[in-house]
Amino acid sequence: MKSNDQPETITRTEVLPSLTTATIKRVQEGVAAAGDRSVREIIAKTLAGLEARHEGQMEPRVDAGIRRFVLRSLIHAIFRVRVENLEKIPQTSAIIAANHLHHLDPLLLLAEIPTQPHYYIVGDARTLYNKWWKRFILGFAGGVIPLARIWKEEIAVIQAAKAGRQDLTELAQTIEETVPTGGDIPTLRQIDRIVLGILAQGDGMILFPEGRLGNVEGKLHLPLKRGTVIYALRAGVPIVPIALIGTHDLCWGKELTVRVGEPLYFDQTNRPNRQEVDVALHKLQEAMQDLLPTDYQEPTGSKLLRHFLNHMLW
């Protein structure tokens, strides 16, 4: 699951991935998912259910204890998991802010954090629903806010086509006609209403302020996105910084660490100004960096099921 902070259109100044055969294949699969009626319908149905919370209705979701038990059983059967300072997570509404190294990260967090409050995650809609078994599981479990947005790989295809890659012209045109950017005002406002509604009703959010998957253990992808602290300031809830360690390159039996930091509390404000956001974002960045290892060493030796485990949630 590719989880993110707020939907943002990738700018032309951001480093884009190389267009390898694997990258182009992933884009083709992503475009197919964007045009799949069943995927579009489940995104619309899920978002409508989440918005209905404002009217006192509860969207279908499995009990957090059951969700935690199932995920914990599966993850602990494959990896060795170490959790540090779990008691620092408050039992009230909060935002968990973690670094992001793998699609497994949100599942790992849901397997380890307390079940009260009930935590929701934000995920890329097409990565969430691109397989039938994912649609089935998520339809049962609930607790996910799907974002329909354009991928950086798709931006790379469009730019390459404009630069003269004629073999990518048709694919680029299909992307522009089919894939939503996720940066339009109605979409942003809908996500805002859902997230703030969840926090107002006493539940929690898991967000990844880097806004993308990192590729180096122990380092944050900077600058952090501002959405996490804006939500915390507007909702008046604490941010709990968490470091995930070891999830970048998975293999059977690897030790994964979930390290919890001290909650960060801020004064509530309905319309946070730039200075308030910048101060809060700086505190969050420092707190997350302090939790990350400075001398991480990747395990050596054979890495069983490495390819499968690193690609199973694509």
Side-chain angles (χ1 to χ4, degrees):
M1 290 185 185
K2 189 173 182 179
S3 300
N4 212 321
D5 193 27
Q6 280 187 306
E8 296 192 19
T9 302
I10 297 175
T11 62
R12 291 180 178 274
T13 58
E14 185 164 348
V15 177
L16 298 174
S18 301
L19 291 178
T20 63
T21 302
T23 302
I24 294 173
K25 181 180 178 182
R26 171 168 165 75
V27 169
Q28 292 169 334
E29 292 173 349
V31 172
D36 188 324
R37 177 184 293 181
S38 62
V39 173
R40 296 198 303 269
E41 288 178 349
I42 195 170
I43 292 170
K45 181 179 178 181
T46 301
L47 292 175
L50 289 165
E51 281 204 278
R53 293 170 58 97
H54 294 289
E55 301 171 3
Q57 302 177 36
M58 287 300 294
E59 84 285 359
R61 70 184 190 190
V62 74
D63 178 80
I66 296 174
R67 180 177 69 179
R68 184 176 189 261
F69 173 77
V70 172
L71 290 174
R72 189 180 177 88
S73 299
L74 291 172
I75 291 173
H76 283 227
I78 302 172
F79 308 104
R80 292 178 294 118
V81 181
R82 177 177 179 178
V83 182
E84 301 176 2
N85 309 316
L86 191 65
E87 71 282 356
K88 292 182 178 180
I89 300 179
Q91 294 184 348
T92 57
S93 181
I95 294 174
I96 285 177
N99 62 310
H100 200 10
L101 294 166
H102 195 277
H103 301 313
L104 180 73
D105 295 342
L107 304 182
L108 175 62
L109 287 170
L110 290 173
E112 303 301 333
I113 62 177
T115 57
Q116 294 295 329
H118 190 103
Y119 278 92
Y120 288 73
I121 62 173
V122 180
D124 179 85
R126 287 181 287 158
T127 304
L128 290 171
Y129 301 127
N130 63 349
K131 302 277 195 313
W132 70 266
W133 58 269
K134 292 184 184 180
R135 295 194 289 271
F136 174 78
I137 292 172
L138 292 173
F140 165 73
V144 173
I145 304 172
L147 299 181
R149 59 176 185 174
I150 195 166
W151 295 345
K152 59 185 178 181
E153 292 92 343
E154 291 166 337
I155 297 288
V157 168
I158 292 172
Q159 290 193 12
K162 291 180 178 179
R165 284 282 303 269
Q166 295 185 0
D167 59 314
L168 296 176
T169 300
E170 184 177 350
L171 180 58
Q173 183 177 349
T174 305
I175 293 169
E176 293 181 317
E177 294 174 350
T178 308
V179 178
T181 66
D184 59 285
I185 297 301
T187 296
L188 295 174
R189 287 178 175 170
Q190 183 182 37
I191 298 299
D192 281 350
R193 288 193 301 270
I194 290 171
V195 172
L196 292 173
I198 287 170
L199 296 173
Q201 293 183 11
D203 287 326
M205 289 295 310
I206 296 174
L207 298 175
F208 297 93
E210 292 170 290
R212 52 157 284 179
L213 287 175
N215 54 17
V216 180
E217 290 278 0
K219 291 187 178 181
L220 293 176
H221 180 74
L222 301 175
L224 300 181
K225 304 296 184 182
R226 300 155 60 86
T228 299
V229 298
I230 291 175
Y231 286 139
L233 290 169
R234 292 178 63 188
V237 300
I239 300 176
V240 183
I242 289 183
L244 298 176
I245 304 165
T247 65
H248 174 58
D249 187 13
L250 299 178
C251 62
W252 186 276
K254 187 178 184 181
E255 181 175 273
L256 311 179
T257 300
V258 179
R259 181 176 294 161
V260 183
E262 294 288 344
L264 304 174
Y265 291 88
F266 308 98
D267 293 333
Q268 183 176 7
T269 173
N270 290 329
R271 295 186 177 182
N273 59 42
R274 181 63 179 263
Q275 182 178 3
E276 290 170 327
V277 172
D278 287 346
V279 169
L281 196 62
H282 180 69
K283 289 182 179 179
L284 174 59
Q285 179 179 316
E286 284 191 330
M288 293 179 69
Q289 286 180 324
D290 288 344
L291 293 171
L292 292 169
T294 58
D295 57 349
Y296 178 82
Q297 297 293 322
E298 189 69 28
T300 57
S302 61
K303 296 188 175 184
L304 297 177
L305 298 180
R306 180 183 185 184
H307 180 81
F308 171 75
L309 293 173
N310 283 320
H311 295 83
M312 61 182 174
L313 295 174
W314 279 22

